[in-house]
Amino acid sequence: MTDITIQDGEFARLSGKVVIITGGSSGIGLATTNLLLDLGAKVIIGDLQPPVTPIHNPSLTFQRTDVTSWSEQLALFKKAREIHGRVDHVFANAGVGPRADYLSKTVDANGDLVEPTFVTIDVNLKAVIYTATIAVYYMREEQQTPAGGSIVVVSSVAGISRFRATDYATAKHGNLGFARGLHQRLNFHELPIRVNLIAPSWTKTGFMPYPVMQSIGVEPQEPIVVAKSAAFLMADESRKGQMIHISKGRYREVEESIMLPAAEKVVGVEHGEVMEDDTLAKIIEAMGVFKKGAVAS
Ligand SMILES: NC(=O)c1ccc[n+]([C@@H]2O[C@H](COP(=O)([O-])OP(=O)(O)OC[C@H]3O[C@@H](n4cnc5c(N)ncnc54)[C@H](O)[C@@H]3O)[C@@H](O)[C@H]2O)c1
């Protein structure tokens, strides 16, 4: 894995940038909000609740937003443009813990198995797709400079490993799949919009009661450690389609250094096979329907 050293000086170019943060009122989102405000960025939080620690800074806007609502997310982006005229970076961070039990035996009045809840998948995956889709639309409309805009999606170690909280793991794997697919599409259409992921390990936030973590001997990392990885991916214009794993303050890039090489190994690229996406590109070309720009314009 490729270790990354994040120096505070690397964030300087975020000064004056307009950043939308979903779930920016607590934990990782709040730490990112504070970090960006300190750097001179303008932040618009979309969250169900105002910041759990009040922030008095004219560069901060809070808009009550339920990310599972398409219209509320549209309103969030509209608000950002109304106030600041553009959107430079988007942090798709709002999330909830596991809710569904796929081994449930709960039945309704008719004795039929009760449908499992989709809350976690709606907040952690569907709403992230909403956020990124609106972000791409806005950033394209704004005719970004070649530096373009960026989207950072919060996945998790649960998105790259076996994890028994099944709905949560499904959503976090989905974040990875979505960001990978979107990265390929953005590249194909040569749009100056970067999409990257972060995969934090246990972090001290509203997610898990800290005393419980302590009681089992796990010391979670501070949310500012994770916030720095998000700011880094926004600031470093060379980062595209990457995923940073953050554990105990150590930052490692995993998509290009481990996951893609692993996929290539499975496919057998070293024996002359081609990756599925390369074949898809040829199919698209051969069909002649999806010319560059045609599907996305
Ligand atoms: N804490 C960890 O150990 C950890 C590890 C890996 C990934 N993550 C991810 O980090 C992200 C941030 O979580 P956190 O740990 O900072 O937790 P947190 O509970 O402190 O913050 C989550 C924020 O999301 C907001 N939110 C929840 N549902 C929402 C909705 N429908 N609409 C708008 N806002 C909503 C909450 O109000 C809260 O402010 C999540 O996506 C989580 O899955 C957390």
Side-chain angles (χ1 to χ4, degrees):
M1 267 195 279
T2 315
D3 274 271
I4 296 174
T5 309
I6 298 182
Q7 315 273 8
D8 287 354
E10 299 183 55
F11 304 139
R13 60 162 62 99
L14 293 176
S15 176
K17 297 292 182 194
V18 180
V19 187
I20 290 180
I21 303 185
T22 67
S25 295
S26 172
I28 293 166
L30 181 60
T32 310
T33 296
N34 281 318
L35 174 63
L36 294 177
L37 289 172
D38 288 348
L39 291 165
K42 300 167 194 341
V43 178
I44 301 92
I45 291 178
D47 200 309
L48 292 171
Q49 56 172 350
V52 293
T53 318
I55 301 172
H56 304 288
N57 186 322
S59 294
L60 175 68
T61 307
F62 167 73
Q63 165 118 339
R64 197 204 168 276
T65 309
D66 179 346
V67 290
T68 63
S69 157
W70 175 254
S71 61
E72 290 189 20
Q73 287 224 44
L74 281 176
L76 175 67
F77 279 77
K78 267 188 199 158
K79 173 68 99 185
R81 182 180 281 174
E82 197 181 289
I83 301 175
H84 302 296
R86 62 179 203 283
V87 175
D88 296 303
H89 302 284
V90 171
F91 188 29
N93 161 78
V96 293
R99 299 278 194 276
D101 176 10
Y102 301 118
L103 306 186
S104 171
K105 290 179 177 173
T106 308
V107 291
D108 63 17
N110 298 322
D112 293 323
L113 187 63
V114 170
E115 180 186 351
T117 173
F118 274 77
V119 166
T120 300
I121 289 172
D122 284 348
V123 178
N124 295 7
L125 179 56
K126 188 175 171 189
V128 167
I129 296 173
Y130 281 178
T131 306
T133 304
I134 304 171
V136 168
Y137 176 74
Y138 266 69
M139 288 171 184
R140 287 186 76 183
E141 269 205 331
E142 283 154 18
Q143 302 289 324
Q144 296 269 340
T145 57
S150 90
I151 302 164
V152 178
V153 173
V154 183
S155 180
S156 164
V157 175
I160 51 172
S161 58
R162 288 179 173 170
F163 196 68
R164 63 197 63 202
T166 314
D167 56 347
Y168 187 80
T170 303
K172 293 299 177 181
H173 276 78
N175 292 152
L176 175 62
F178 174 71
R180 285 174 144 184
L182 185 61
H183 168 77
Q184 289 300 82
R185 286 300 298 274
L186 291 169
N187 263 359
F188 177 72
H189 293 285
E190 294 169 2
L191 294 174
I193 303 167
R194 299 177 289 115
V195 58
N196 291 291
L197 295 135
I198 58 173
S201 179
W202 297 110
T203 309
K204 202 189 214 175
T205 69
F207 247 50
M208 291 288 160
Y210 181 51
V212 173
M213 301 297 286
Q214 275 184 315
S215 72
I216 56 163
V218 174
E219 187 55 43
Q221 60 196 347
E222 293 295 330
I224 181 63
V225 173
V226 180
K228 284 186 181 183
S229 68
F232 174 77
L233 287 170
M234 292 173 200
D236 185 342
E237 288 156 13
S238 70
R239 306 273 162 186
K240 290 180 186 171
Q242 297 197 348
M243 179 187 232
I244 298 181
H245 170 242
I246 312 110
S247 177
K248 299 188 171 67
R250 185 175 177 196
Y251 304 99
R252 285 171 292 180
E253 201 291 315
V254 293
E255 169 72 348
E256 287 176 2
S257 66
I258 294 190
M259 297 175 67
L260 281 181
E264 288 179 355
K265 242 185 202 166
V266 172
V267 173
V269 169
E270 68 269 34
H271 301 301
E273 295 279 336
V274 289
M275 295 290 282
E276 256 72 354
D277 189 59
D278 295 323
T279 305
L280 179 60
K282 286 181 186 151
I283 293 170
I284 288 169
E285 191 74 36
M287 287 172 72
V289 235
F290 302 134
K291 291 257 184 288
K292 196 169 271 192
V295 259
S297 59

